[in-house]
Amino acid sequence: MLSHLNEVNDVKILSVFDDEFKTYGNVVTGYDFNELIAYMEKDTDIPENGNIYVASVPEMERANIVNAVRDEIFGGMTIQVGYCNGRNTTYNGFEYHKGSEINVAVTDFMLVLGHTWLIAKDGTYKVEDAKVFFVPKGTAIEMFQTTLHLSPCRVYDEGFKGIVILPQGTNTPLESKPANREGENKLLLQKNKWVIAHPEREPLIKQGAFPGLIGENKELKY
């Protein structure tokens, strides 16, 4: 871990190689993601402001490693390969999916993670229950479906780049929302995407995200 990332704004920074990560996910080894990383480095940009997320990129999905990821990590389920690039520095909220998510760090970045079992019955979640993990460049991780997460946070001013692999259709528009908006249903924002937003995160709220993140919308900026 980079020495200056032991703590940022009084927030302890852990590593995905620490034992604390084991309830959130696994470090993925034995797969060669270099073809995908090369595409990301050459053919994707970091926006001047905010983040960009693309759920599915056909060129990336044709990479040689994708079939092995589909057949082995996802057990043969159809997957999508996309990316998230940006300059985010704040928690903003959390999402979760039904099924694991694979992230490959094209650059160093940090992830703010929580556990779905700590979501209260009313759909709220406390910022204080989350932990922050550093993901070094070149590392691939699996996040369990019980892991709350959202956009990475940058380590450097120039921003971050990350590959995102998910079950096909995740993070795409819903054909219809459940008529009953109680319980977990009120968190459902897109296909296979349940979201708890911080009340200050107006773009997410305007999209229909539930404003249930309680506490300071912390900034991880050194």
Side-chain angles (χ1 to χ4, degrees), residues 1 15-17 104-109 134-141:
M1 182 186 299
S15 167
V16 291
F17 294 98
V104 183
V106 180
T107 65
D108 293 340
F109 57 66
F134 173 67
V135 188
K137 177 180 179 179
T139 304
I141 62 166

Side-chain angles (χ1 to χ4, degrees), residues 122-157:
D122 63 358
T124 59
Y125 179 84
K126 296 178 181 178
V127 169
E128 64 192 49
D129 290 330
K131 293 184 178 181
V132 181
F133 291 88
F134 173 67
V135 188
K137 177 180 179 179
T139 304
I141 62 166
E142 173 189 8
M143 289 187 289
F144 303 144
Q145 71 171 29
T146 52
T147 296
L148 297 170
H149 60 280
L150 202 62
S151 161
C153 292
R154 74 188 190 199
V155 172
Y156 305 108
D157 287 343

Side-chain angles (χ1 to χ4, degrees), residues 167-185:
Q168 189 176 62
T170 300
N171 295 332
T172 62
L174 288 166
E175 295 174 7
S176 62
K177 290 189 175 182
N180 175 7
R181 297 294 289 169
E182 298 299 317
E184 187 182 45
N185 285 351

Side-chain angles (χ1 to χ4, degrees), residues 84-95:
C84 182
N85 296 349
R87 299 177 185 270
N88 180 52
T89 60
T90 50
Y91 284 30
N92 292 328
F94 292 97
E95 68 180 5

